[in-house]
Amino acid sequence: MFLQTALSSAVLPRRLFVDINSTVTTIFQFSSPATLENLVVRGNGEILVTSGQSRLLYQVSPNPGDIPILVTQIPGVSSIQGVVELEPDIFYVLAQNITGLTVIPSTIALWRVDLNQLTVAEDRTVLQPAAIQLVARIPEGVLFNGMCRLSPSDNSNLLISDSMNATITIIDVHTGIYKTVISNPLMEYLPTGLTVGVNGIHVHGSDLFFTNFNRAIFARIPISLRTGEATGPAQVVVNGTAGDDFILSEDGNKAYLALWGRNEIAEVDVRGRAVRAVATSPILEASSAVAWGRGLVDQNSLYVSAGNSGVGTAMTGTVARVDLR
């Protein structure tokens, strides 16, 4: 979620059925920014993290105690939202200038980040930052938020959610051409509560799964893997889950949702249309996104971007690990 204070106007649903069998560990806490927005795990196991309060893109080691690496910074913006890998170590980030939930449209842009150019010394000093390149500016957006690839075999197209417009935009990263492909009532926000509708998005098979924070639903809609357009009606999978971003299991039968402001990670049984909390901790206070580990030791673990205030302290951006049991 974009701001620590944004949740004050939202109505939180009841707590989920709890079956806690997970261990939550702090990997790293930043003194600034106060919260983190999104994350993705590189092939080498290190974690790229973004913040809605910073133009800096950091890399965090999965080993607690290692200092983070400043990979690069995006010029002319104050915020980075989604981050997606389309090719090995080729990432795309969605950046913009934002105050509260108000975006300056002319600053909304997609950037390419090439980590093949990143050179780091043994002491984690950056000798050469990642190379960045502007892909396209997208001034039609109102509150671009979540982002995902169109399909695992497609290295050209990304989907982007607009939390206020209740739409999905497709963009070709090679040409910079983009257009709105989905507009659906289940992606809209209600008149009451935080004005953040469709949020996290991910594709599995031919279904686009999405959260709607305001409506507290997790839903899916069938799409064309060629155009990104809807091929059928949207369907609610579960209610009562005010989720931010999420990740799906490899088989698509489970989804793990970051419940912003709830101190919880929720597991959704997609086929059974049931939900339960699988991790709860103050560390997860402002959890915003989750990603699978990519190594042998953490392949059954979730990395979580969050914000944590601790006891009597200011909130700090936090990367945590949830070891599922």
Side-chain angles (χ1 to χ4, degrees):
M1 195 60 61
F2 292 97
L3 283 180
Q4 173 187 351
T5 57
L7 197 61
S8 60
S9 61
V11 177
L12 293 178
R14 59 180 175 80
R15 291 180 66 84
L16 306 177
F17 166 69
V18 179
D19 182 15
I20 305 300
N21 290 300
S22 305
T23 301
V24 182
T25 305
T26 297
I27 299 300
F28 189 82
Q29 279 190 305
F30 291 85
S31 57
S32 178
T35 61
L36 301 179
E37 176 66 20
N38 215 311
L39 79 172
V40 64
V41 180
R42 293 182 61 190
N44 66 2
E46 301 241 339
I47 308 150
L48 295 183
V49 295
T50 72
S51 172
Q53 301 172 339
S54 174
R55 63 192 180 103
L56 307 180
L57 180 65
Y58 281 101
Q59 176 173 297
V60 175
S61 168
N63 302 313
D66 286 352
I67 62 172
I69 294 168
L70 176 57
V71 171
T72 192
Q73 48 190 309
I74 306 300
V77 301
S78 63
S79 172
I80 306 178
Q81 273 69 52
V83 54
V84 176
E85 183 179 25
L86 275 185
E87 299 177 71
D89 274 343
I90 303 294
F91 295 83
Y92 293 85
V93 298
L94 183 64
Q96 54 201 349
N97 260 341
I98 183 169
T99 302
L101 294 178
T102 302
V103 175
I104 300 175
S106 61
T107 66
I108 303 172
L110 184 72
W111 292 78
R112 182 181 189 265
V113 180
D114 185 354
L115 264 68
N116 291 295
Q117 306 300 311
L118 179 68
T119 306
V120 181
E122 288 187 7
D123 64 356
R124 298 182 68 81
T125 300
V126 175
L127 303 177
Q128 178 175 311
I132 63 172
Q133 178 183 357
L134 177 65
V135 174
R137 298 199 180 276
I138 318 173
E140 295 83 356
V142 178
L143 189 63
F144 278 164
N145 198 338
M147 186 167 68
C148 70
R149 64 190 307 158
L150 179 59
S151 80
S153 60
D154 188 330
N155 295 332
S156 298
N157 293 292
L158 293 170
L159 299 178
I160 305 171
S161 68
D162 192 320
S163 295
M164 285 192 177
N165 266 342
T167 58
I168 303 295
T169 294
I170 190 171
I171 182 167
D172 186 317
V173 301
H174 300 300
T175 66
I177 296 173
Y178 60 89
K179 67 174 181 177
T180 299
V181 289
I182 299 175
S183 178
N184 190 275
L186 281 183
M187 296 182 177
E188 298 173 355
Y189 58 84
L190 298 173
T192 58
L194 194 67
T195 56
V196 175
V198 59
N199 196 325
I201 55 173
H202 289 282
V203 174
H204 189 276
S206 58
D207 283 334
L208 173 67
F209 290 84
F210 63 93
T211 58
N212 183 317
F213 186 84
N214 173 277
R215 290 175 179 260
I217 61 172
F218 180 66
R220 64 181 175 186
I221 186 169
I223 64 169
S224 164
L225 296 184
R226 183 177 62 86
T227 66
E229 296 173 338
T231 58
Q235 177 188 52
V236 174
V237 179
V238 292
N239 288 287
T241 53
D244 198 331
D245 212 334
F246 64 97
I247 197 71
L248 293 161
S249 61
E250 187 175 356
D251 61 10
N253 291 333
K254 298 288 178 64
Y256 295 89
L257 281 60
L259 300 188
W260 203 95
R262 292 278 302 281
N263 295 3
E264 292 177 349
I265 300 297
E267 178 192 79
V268 175
D269 181 339
V270 175
R271 289 181 178 177
R273 304 179 79 172
V275 60
R276 65 184 182 124
V278 292
T280 182
S281 169
I283 298 170
L284 305 172
E285 180 178 355
S287 56
S288 56
V290 292
W292 289 109
R294 296 179 65 175
L296 292 176
V297 298
D298 61 4
Q299 59 185 340
N300 293 318
S301 298
L302 301 170
Y303 289 99
V304 182
S305 55
N308 172 241
S309 60
V311 179
T313 61
M315 183 168 282
T316 56
T318 302
V319 178
R321 188 184 69 241
V322 175
D323 298 319
L324 301 174
R325 301 286 181 85

